Amino acid sequence: MIRVHSYESMGTFDGPGLRLVVFLQGCPFRCLYCANPDTIETSGGRETDPAEILRMAVDQKPFFGRRGGVTFSGGEPTLQAAALVPLVRDLKEAGIHVCLDSNGGVWNPAVEELMGLVDLVLLDVKQANPERHHALTGRSNTQTLRTAAWLEEHGRPFWLRYVLVPGYSDAEEDIRRLGERLGGCRSIERVELLPYHTLGVHKYEAMGLDYRLRGVRENTPEQLDRAAALLREYFPTVVVN
């Protein structure tokens, strides 16, 4: 069984084309800006037969076109890698493109197998600076950077995703450190610069949780343009989502 939080049909922001996005339950990170705090605990969501997800994907396949498919997101989907591996094999057998949206912070033999199976990894790097990454997520970025290195070493295509959080990941030093660390990776097909947003704040209120970035404002267009220009010094393709 796979513990699913929710689904999004015809998603356009989590990989190429139109996609069925499956949000899985559970995450080891505690990102201060997490838009889905209800996905963090591993005990939440609904236990789902992988065959149900496969049927849903096959039913929606006519809408995917040549570029679309299924994206597993979260939460952190690699927490359920052992259960995902056979499902991903079945999806690929059905001719469906599969993306994995991951923070790269979990690693074990099942995760390695999963990373080698999917067509594309969307790797969320929160911060290249170890201390600032820990302040932002409560966890180390060591494994995330190792995951990026593994993808590069094995020629596995991935998109690098970076959320621009004012005061936490938007300094020129932050962006240049990311570029210096990962700018030479040939497996990075593109970089997605994701604006910080507060769309999930109401969830914290509903759950009785304190949203610790309440005073942080969303990015201005000028801040996003500046960050994108810096990233383009290191990466050939940078997209602001």
Side-chain angles (χ1 to χ4, degrees):
M1 303 295 278
I2 294 175
R3 195 168 282 274
V4 175
H5 173 268
S6 57
Y7 302 92
E8 179 185 0
S9 295
M10 303 300 108
T12 58
F13 292 102
D14 296 287
L18 292 175
R19 311 194 70 82
L20 167 64
V21 186
V22 185
F23 295 95
L24 303 187
Q25 191 71 30
C27 184
F29 280 23
R30 298 294 183 269
C31 299
L32 297 180
Y33 58 86
C34 179
N36 297 304
D38 46 340
T39 69
I40 291 175
E41 295 303 323
T42 56
S43 58
R46 180 175 70 90
E47 287 197 343
T48 304
D49 187 334
E52 180 180 331
I53 301 172
L54 178 62
R55 284 194 299 271
M56 190 181 306
V58 170
D59 286 346
Q60 294 187 22
K61 184 180 176 182
F63 300 100
F64 294 153
R66 291 191 304 155
R67 300 179 67 242
V70 173
T71 297
F72 292 102
S73 186
E76 174 49 49
T78 58
L79 285 179
Q80 302 186 62
L84 281 178
V85 164
L87 174 56
V88 170
R89 289 190 186 280
D90 289 342
L91 288 166
K92 290 175 67 67
E93 183 76 19
I96 294 173
H97 183 278
V98 181
C99 283
L100 181 72
D101 182 9
S102 172
N103 61 39
V106 178
W107 197 259
N108 54 49
V111 174
E112 183 171 355
E113 185 175 5
L114 182 64
M115 291 279 183
L117 274 177
V118 297
D119 297 289
L120 178 68
V121 175
L122 311 178
L123 186 66
D124 300 293
V125 178
K126 316 297 183 179
Q127 248 286 5
N129 179 296
E131 293 78 18
R132 286 169 68 75
H133 185 279
H134 196 279
L136 191 59
T137 71
R139 296 293 187 274
S140 168
N141 67 355
T142 301
Q143 183 54 59
T144 298
L145 295 175
R146 285 176 179 163
T147 298
W150 185 93
L151 292 167
E152 173 70 4
E153 180 183 350
H154 290 81
R156 305 301 302 165
F158 69 104
W159 292 3
L160 178 63
R161 292 180 136 191
Y162 188 75
V163 181
L164 196 70
V165 186
Y168 289 86
S169 62
D170 66 333
E172 179 173 345
E173 179 185 351
D174 298 329
I175 296 167
R176 290 198 181 280
R177 187 158 186 165
L178 180 70
E180 289 162 3
R181 185 62 187 260
L182 297 176
C185 291
R186 292 169 296 178
S187 290
I188 296 177
E189 294 186 340
R190 75 181 201 171
V191 175
E192 293 192 327
L193 181 63
L194 308 179
Y196 166 75
H197 64 75
T198 58
L199 298 177
V201 172
H202 69 283
K203 295 183 180 181
Y204 288 80
E205 296 169 350
M207 296 171 67
L209 301 175
D210 180 34
Y211 184 69
R212 293 168 58 190
L213 299 187
R214 188 170 295 277
V216 176
R217 299 193 175 188
E218 296 182 354
N219 311 110
T220 65
E222 291 75 20
Q223 289 171 333
L224 291 168
D225 288 345
R226 171 180 163 275
L230 287 171
L231 286 169
R232 289 187 181 109
E233 294 183 25
Y234 301 91
F235 305 97
T237 304
V238 177
V239 176
V240 180
N241 266 2

